[in-house]
Amino acid sequence: ISAGEGAGPGTRGTRTRSAGVRGEADRALGSEELAEIGMRFEVDGEIATITLDRPDKRNAQTFATWSALARIGNTLPGQVRVVVVRGEGPSFSAGIDLRMFTPEGVPGQGSFASVAALDADVSGERIRQAQQGFLWLRRPDIVSIAVVQGHAIGAGFQLALSCDLRILGEDAKFCMKEPALGLVPDLTGTKPLVELVGVSRALEICLTARVVEAAEALRIGLAEQVVPVGELEAATARLASALLTTDRAAAAATKRLLRGAQGRSLEEQSAAERAEQVMRIQTMFGGHGGPGND
Ligand code: ACO
């Protein structure tokens, strides 16, 4: 079968279906299904942790990885406010499974050759499905944290970029390798990269496919913190706890404002602030009918 079928991505990665119609994409994956894909998912109160768990293959990603990520997003327990994305072993993720470049491909998931054989709109749809695994990590109701040790290459770099925040081990190495392999970064990473480092630096990083090490990543805005690898877990726990100290609804509203800011004029952003604040004040101080009604 070709990429996107079977173990491939669910056909709908967002909550856009009509109410009452629940499909496969809305069923939470069990731990055994995730283990087969090379992933783990754990929830501890308001904190969920997604672990890429194929350390012997440096957490290489497949269509099944992206489908599982989308499913986790679709079925995230309502109490979760912080989502931690991490990788087991020495690397965060070595990017797309290189078997995709071979004629045989990834068993059950196809190869680039099988994607090339599809109509352009069908292969575009396959990519759209893969992107659903990444897009939900910027949802306003959660804050996502990528915890990166070792290599984060290609799809691995893009997975880290799809999170709101990045904590790096001192050995972290980012590389956008796609252009060196004749591809473009298409797993939603180009926009956050440009937002974080600007278009010129993003161009330089992508078009040289060079390695960006942890210290530089911190300096140019690709990371919020760099810590010794042995301290990553504790640093992540501290950040997650700190993020949970603010009011949940206010945090979501603030994230909506901050995420939307770049696409709005100052006037539009001011209006958005007013609208969010009116909602906050009504919710907190009891107004139900809107301004002027009480
Ligand atoms: N896909 C499939 N298998 C991989 C991948 C990958 N992307 N990366 C590593 N592996 C496998 C290796 O084949 C090896 O398997 P084996 O033990 O069965 O031989 C195992 O993981 C360990 O790999 P090493 O290279 O020995 O590990 P090392 O720690 O020395 O190097 C590194 C890690 C730098 C990540 C290296 O493996 C590498 O460069 N991988 C390829 C990276 C890449 O080009 N990714 C594609 C980017 S483009 C995109 O993502 C769209």
Side-chain angles (χ1 to χ4, degrees), residues 66 76 94 144 228 260 283:
W66 305 324
L76 196 71
S144 51
T283 305

Side-chain angles (χ1 to χ4, degrees), residues 144-160:
S144 51
I145 307 171
V147 184
V148 179
Q149 80 288 353
H151 290 94
I153 303 177
F157 189 7
Q158 295 192 70
L159 182 57

